[in-house]
Amino acid sequence: MDDPLDRPRGDDLNDLNGSNGSNRSSDASGLSDADRAVDLGDLLDRLRAGLPADALITDPDVTVSYGRDMASFCAAGTPVVVVLPRTVEQVQHVLRTATALRVPVVPQGARTGLSGAANATDGCIVLSLVKMDRILEISPVDRIAVVEPGVVNAVLSRAVEERGLYYPPDPSSWETCTIGGNIGTASGGLCCVKYGVTAEYVLGLDVVLADGRLLTTGRRTAKGVAGYDLTRLFVGSEGSLGVVVQAVLALKPKPPRQLVLAAEFPSAAAACDAICAIMARGHAPSLLELMDATTIRAVNALGRMGLPETTEALLLAAFDTPDPTADLAAVGELCTAAGATEVVPADTVAESELLLKARRTALTALEAVKSATMIDDVCVPRSRLGAMIDGTAAIAEKHGLTIGVCAHAGDGNTHPVVCFDHTDPDETRRARESFDEIMALGLELGGTITGEHGVGVLKKEWLARELGPVGLELQRGIKRTFDPLGILNPGKVF
C-alpha cells in the first residue's frame, strides 16, 4: 500500500468531511476546545512520573507519523505526545493522567485500518500498544492463547501452528496488523466463510477503562454465560470504550493444508449463482473469494500473475477437509452448471498458494490504478450478492469511474474499491458520491455498511442511518457509561 502520509489531507479532507481536520470539538462528550485546554508541560511531567523515558515521543516530526491509519479522506488531527507502554500499569497511568487533565486518548495498533478509527485527534495522547507484544500462553488442552494487544496476527498464527493449533482470523494485512487492532475493528479475513470473524474467537479481555481501572471480562473456559457479554461489547468498539491490554483467544485444531479451485465466469451474476448453489448444497469451503474483471486486470498489471483477463469474474474456492480433491470436484460441477467457462482445480499446495497470493494482492493492485482509492466493505446476504455487484457496476458507469470489486463471497462481504485522481476535484466529488451510493445500495439489499473494517471517521453518518434513532440513542448511552468524559477516541463511531 502507498504511504498514508502521502495521501490527500488538509483542504481536500475539509471538502469531503465537512470538517476543519480536527475532531476535538465534536466528540461524544460535548467538551469544547476550551474544556480540553491543558498545559503541555504539566501533561508531560505527569506522564513521565509513571513512564520510562523511552515510552514517550514528543518530537513533532515523529508524532505526526502516528497521525492516521490507512484510510483515505478521513480527517486527522495532531497528537501532542505518543506513548508506547509495555505494561498494563503504564497504560493505567496514561488513562488516569488523561482523565485528571481531560485529555483525549487515541488507542492505536499497527494503523492498518481502513476507516480512520486510529486517526489522531488534535491535542490528544496517541496510545500505541505495539510494544505490548508478548504471547503469554498457548494451551493445547484448553485450546486458548493469551496475548497482549501488540502481537502481530501472523506471529500468533505461526506460534500456535507449531503446537498443532490454528487461529483462523486472517485479515489481508495479517503480516502486519495486531491482535488489538483486530479486536478493535472486529476484523475478518479470507477464512470467514467457514471459521467466522475475530469476535467469535475472543473469549475474554483485560481492558483499562477511561479512568484507569482494570476490567476483566469473559472467561478461559469453553462455555460461560455469567452476566452480560461485555467481551463482545468491546470487540468492534474501536477503542471508544476502553483499551484492551490482554486477550484470551479461542484456538482450533490445525486443519489439513487447503487446496484451491479457480473458476472463470462470463459474468459476475453467473459467479454469484455458483456461490449460492455451493452454499445451498451444504458445502463448507475454507475460502470462497470473488474478483471481478477490473480487479483481475489490476492484479495482473501489478504482479504479472497471469490471471485470465478474458473472464468477467474469477471465483476461488478452497477446502481444508481430509479429501479436498473430492470437495473441489463437487464444487467444480456446480460452477460448470452455473455457467463457468473454465474450472481449474490446483493439484498442489504451491499452486493453491499462488492463487491465494493473487487474491491477497487485490486491494494493493487496485490502489495502483489511480492516485487514491476509497475502499468499502459493505456486506449483504449471500442471496443478494449478485445484485450488489451488478449495482456497483452501474454506479461506476453512472459516475464514469473505475470501481473494482473483490469479495469474501462466501459470507457476502464485498470490497468495492473506488479508484480516482485526488488532484481532480470533480473526480474526487464523483468518487465520494459513488462511495455513498454503494453504501446505500448495501442497506437497500438488507446488508450492513461495514462487514469488517469498522465505522471510524469514514462511516459515522451511515452508522446512524443503519442503527436508527432508538439504536443510536442506546449505543450513545453505552458510550457515556464507559467513558463519561468522552476522552476515549473522540469523534469516532458516533
Side-chain angles (χ1 to χ4, degrees):
M1 293 184 176
D2 58 322
D3 185 345
L5 296 179
D6 292 334
R7 295 186 179 188
R9 49 195 313 181
D11 292 339
D12 292 334
L13 297 177
N14 302 343
D15 293 340
L16 287 171
N17 291 282
S19 166
N20 63 359
S22 167
N23 300 324
R24 184 171 60 175
S25 60
S26 59
D27 59 60
S29 70
L31 292 177
S32 68
D33 288 350
D35 294 326
R36 295 209 185 278
V38 63
D39 180 80
L40 178 58
D42 184 28
L43 170 63
L44 295 179
D45 286 345
R46 294 197 191 201
L47 289 174
R48 290 187 182 110
L51 296 169
D54 63 357
L56 286 172
I57 301 174
T58 58
D59 183 346
D61 292 334
V62 180
T63 58
V64 70
S65 66
Y66 288 82
R68 59 175 62 246
D69 63 18
M70 300 299 290
S72 295
F73 300 102
C74 290
T78 303
V80 294
V81 61
V82 174
V83 181
L84 295 99
R86 293 181 181 272
T87 69
V88 173
E89 292 75 18
Q90 290 172 8
V91 175
Q92 289 180 282
H93 174 69
V94 172
L95 269 297
R96 289 180 185 128
T97 301
T99 291
L101 298 179
R102 308 299 197 265
V103 178
V105 177
V106 176
Q108 288 184 351
R111 291 180 287 115
T112 59
L114 294 166
S115 68
N119 284 8
T121 301
D122 279 343
C124 77
I125 300 169
V126 161
L127 185 61
S128 173
L129 285 306
V130 295
K131 298 293 186 182
M132 296 180 69
D133 59 356
R134 294 180 299 162
I135 299 174
L136 302 173
E137 179 184 352
I138 297 173
S139 172
V141 174
D142 294 326
R143 293 183 182 172
I144 62 169
V146 182
V147 305
E148 292 183 326
V151 173
V152 171
N153 185 295
V155 171
L156 174 64
S157 297
R158 291 173 182 134
V160 302
E161 185 178 20
E162 292 175 359
R163 307 288 295 275
L165 297 167
Y166 178 42
Y167 180 66
D170 63 340
S172 295
S173 57
W174 79 301
E175 291 282 4
T176 53
C177 65
T178 62
I179 295 299
N182 294 168
I183 292 170
T185 58
S187 59
L190 303 188
C191 70
C192 296
V193 59
K194 180 175 183 178
Y195 292 104
V197 295
T198 295
E200 295 168 64
Y201 293 88
V202 182
L203 298 178
L205 295 171
D206 281 1
V207 182
V208 176
L209 301 178
D211 59 8
R213 289 179 296 166
L214 182 64
L215 170 68
T216 296
T217 76
R219 63 194 194 278
R220 293 170 56 99
T221 56
K223 295 163 64 177
V225 293
Y228 296 127
D229 191 350
L230 295 182
T231 302
R232 278 293 187 103
L233 185 60
F234 282 104
V235 178
S237 64
E238 302 182 23
S240 65
L241 301 180
V243 179
V244 172
V245 290
Q246 185 173 294
V248 180
L249 305 175
L251 304 174
K252 289 187 175 295
K254 179 182 175 182
R257 297 297 295 270
Q258 63 185 2
L259 289 181
V260 178
L261 169 148
E264 302 175 36
F265 289 88
S267 68
C272 292
D273 287 343
I275 292 163
C276 291
I278 291 167
M279 302 308 294
R281 294 292 182 90
H283 292 287
S286 54
L287 173 148
L288 199 56
E289 297 287 309
L290 181 68
M291 292 187 285
D292 71 356
T294 299
T295 305
I296 291 169
R297 288 192 291 270
V299 169
N300 281 342
L302 180 69
R304 298 182 180 178
M305 299 295 295
L307 297 178
E309 295 196 7
T310 56
T311 186
E312 289 299 312
L314 183 69
L315 181 66
L316 302 178
F319 285 87
D320 57 5
T321 53
D323 187 8
T325 302
D327 291 312
L328 291 181
V331 165
E333 291 178 2
L334 293 176
C335 289
T336 299
T341 56
E342 188 80 23
V343 177
V344 181
D347 295 322
T348 66
V349 170
E351 290 179 4
S352 297
E353 288 301 317
L354 188 62
L355 288 170
L356 294 184
K357 180 181 178 182
R359 170 59 186 89
R360 287 189 183 277
T361 60
L363 296 182
T364 303
L366 286 166
E367 286 184 327
V369 172
K370 289 260 187 167
S371 64
T373 58
M374 298 188 76
I375 304 173
D376 214 330
D377 66 320
V378 171
C379 190
V380 297
R382 296 185 190 99
S383 58
R384 309 307 303 276
L385 184 59
M388 182 68 202
I389 293 176
D390 287 343
T392 300
I395 291 169
E397 183 177 359
K398 171 185 173 182
H399 291 281
L401 293 169
T402 297
I403 303 179
V405 179
C406 51
H408 307 310
D411 51 31
N413 193 172
T414 66
H415 290 302
V417 181
V418 183
C419 308
F420 63 101
D421 180 359
H422 75 272
T423 65
D424 183 332
D426 183 65
E427 192 164 312
T428 298
R429 174 189 58 78
R430 286 183 279 127
R432 186 60 201 235
E433 289 177 0
S434 69
F435 185 85
D436 287 343
E437 289 179 20
I438 289 169
M439 284 191 285
L441 173 64
L443 292 180
E444 290 169 9
L445 295 174
T448 176
I449 60 169
T450 175
E452 56 187 4
H453 295 166
V455 176
V457 177
L458 190 61
K459 298 187 175 183
K460 289 168 58 176
E461 175 189 351
W462 284 95
L463 178 66
R465 299 190 194 188
E466 179 171 334
L467 294 179
V470 176
L472 191 62
E473 178 185 357
L474 290 173
Q475 294 214 14
R476 283 176 169 163
I478 292 170
K479 166 69 171 173
R480 286 192 294 270
T481 297
F482 281 90
D483 182 23
L485 297 178
I487 65 170
L488 286 177
N489 216 6
K492 314 298 171 50
V493 186
F494 301 117

